[in-house]
Amino acid sequence: MNKMVLVNIDLHQADNGFIYKAAQIAQDTGASLELFCSCFNPALHNAYPFDEQAEHEGQRGYLHKVEAALEKMAEPLREEGLEVGTDLVWHRDPAEAVIRKAQRYMPDMVVHFFAADRVSWHLVRDCPFPLLLAGSNRWHEPMNIAAAVDPFHDCDHPAALDRRILDQVAHLGRAMLAKTHAVHSFHTLPHSAIFDEHVVTDYRALQRKVRTDHDQALEHLLDGYRLEEAEFKLHLLEGEPHQVLPRFVIEEQIDILVAGAVARGFLDRLLLGSTVERIIPKVDADVLVVKPAGFRSPYGEG
């Protein structure tokens, strides 16, 4: 990959403060910054149904204004010493446009302002590069970055994904002088759901065993990172991730929560949604979404 942070810009978004987060990441990691905007104006497109040349002229004029706006955003960042490029394209679908752009330039990270809209969810599901869904809230000093991991992975959540998540946290933690955390949530069956009377009589022992198993698995997962990569503060939470992680984020003042997203079938997504999609709207932190190695977007290689 190139050492680049690609920022998806929506000029209709009133608050672009998240750009400065992308700039901080680029500066701390020694990467360049690329401000990218996908443009499409339906009114302009429909204004010339029978005059293709006039439509093209209108497009050029519109793109020129957008280019000037991007350059205006880039100038103060350049004055801070950052290498900042700008790019734009005329495209109906902004999510597809930024994914295709990313596949051409292979950035370290794509940064997008999270708005719980179609574009955000499209990027969560289909962007093959680490995707930071950022808001305009300020980060703490020092920052807190947490890896949400699952040592008891199932067949569609390979252990390698946890290592990719930890790698991201370790890398950002070192570069940004941040405190690093690893969090894993689990749950046991409620007492009322157990029908075997022999199991019921020893329910508390069963709970302790489950917690011990998860604690040991989390410790084992982190063994290879403590000595060389980063010192992680470990957190073992009991409950569903989308229920316990929001509280954890507030209590530990987490600035970036790094979580994995795996491909699911349409029916699974329709019925359940992915864990990361349930977490994102509920946590008071920016979320960095990491895909498994080998993940391919539906847009090929760009």
Side-chain angles (χ1 to χ4, degrees):
M1 291 188 181
N2 297 316
K3 290 191 72 64
M4 174 198 288
V5 175
L6 175 62
V7 187
N8 190 35
I9 303 291
D10 179 357
L11 293 179
H12 299 294
Q13 171 65 42
D15 188 347
N16 283 313
F18 78 103
I19 296 172
Y20 292 94
K21 293 181 176 180
Q24 183 177 337
I25 292 172
Q27 187 170 53
D28 289 349
T29 61
S32 64
L33 198 66
E34 180 84 349
L35 306 183
F36 175 78
C37 183
S38 172
C39 312
F40 186 76
N41 187 316
L44 191 155
H45 175 69
N46 295 328
Y48 306 99
F50 307 111
D51 191 338
E52 188 173 338
Q53 183 176 350
E55 182 182 350
H56 287 324
E57 288 295 328
Q59 276 186 30
R60 279 195 289 271
Y62 187 83
L63 290 170
H64 182 71
K65 290 180 180 179
V66 174
E67 184 178 29
L70 290 178
E71 285 295 317
K72 186 176 180 180
M73 291 180 182
E75 279 309 311
L77 300 174
R78 291 173 181 148
E79 290 173 2
E80 294 294 323
L82 277 171
E83 180 185 342
V84 185
T86 60
D87 192 18
L88 67 165
V89 66
W90 184 267
H91 200 290
R92 288 177 180 269
D93 188 331
E96 179 181 343
V98 73
I99 290 171
R100 291 188 179 278
K101 163 78 176 182
Q103 289 181 140
R104 288 195 302 273
Y105 288 86
M106 303 288 287
D108 296 299
M109 183 184 296
V110 176
V111 180
H112 173 75
F113 183 86
F114 177 70
D117 57 1
R118 188 196 67 83
V119 175
S120 296
W121 296 127
H122 189 162
L123 290 173
V124 168
R125 293 170 183 171
D126 295 332
C127 180
F129 301 94
L131 170 70
L132 180 64
L133 298 167
S136 298
N137 56 305
R138 290 182 177 274
W139 287 333
H140 297 92
E141 293 185 10
M143 290 179 63
N144 284 285
I145 305 176
V149 294
D150 179 14
F152 287 86
H153 53 83
D154 56 35
C155 60
D156 67 351
H157 185 164
L161 180 55
D162 280 341
R163 291 194 291 272
R164 288 170 69 87
I165 292 169
L166 292 166
D167 283 342
Q168 282 288 336
V169 174
H171 172 64
L172 290 175
R174 287 194 306 272
M176 306 185 79
L177 303 179
K179 298 177 181 178
T180 52
H181 305 251
V183 57
H184 168 55
S185 64
F186 73 100
H187 61 92
T188 57
L189 283 175
H191 193 280
S192 60
I194 301 177
F195 301 102
D196 186 322
E197 62 180 18
H198 299 294
V199 176
V200 169
T201 57
D202 202 15
Y203 180 64
R204 292 190 182 280
L206 173 63
Q207 284 185 308
R208 288 194 297 271
K209 182 180 185 308
V210 171
R211 185 174 187 88
T212 299
D213 288 346
H214 282 265
D215 187 42
Q216 290 175 349
L218 183 59
E219 289 276 358
H220 180 70
L221 178 65
L222 270 293
D223 279 347
Y225 287 84
R226 278 203 187 87
L227 297 178
E228 298 178 3
E229 297 294 331
E231 182 67 33
F232 288 87
K233 182 179 179 181
L234 305 188
H235 307 266
L236 188 62
L237 312 177
E238 185 170 352
E240 295 285 354
H242 65 280
Q243 294 174 337
V244 298
L245 286 178
R247 185 170 62 251
F248 161 77
V249 162
I250 292 172
E251 291 174 351
E252 296 294 332
Q253 298 186 327
I254 301 301
D255 297 292
I256 300 177
L257 180 68
V258 185
V262 295
R264 292 186 180 273
F266 173 76
L267 185 58
D268 288 340
R269 186 178 297 157
L270 181 65
L271 294 176
L272 301 174
S274 73
T275 299
V276 74
E277 287 176 26
R278 299 177 75 184
I279 291 171
I280 290 169
K282 296 185 177 182
V283 296
D284 189 21
D286 299 333
V287 180
L288 179 61
V289 181
V290 178
K291 298 292 199 310
F295 177 90
R296 292 185 179 275
S297 85
Y299 307 111
E301 299 301 322

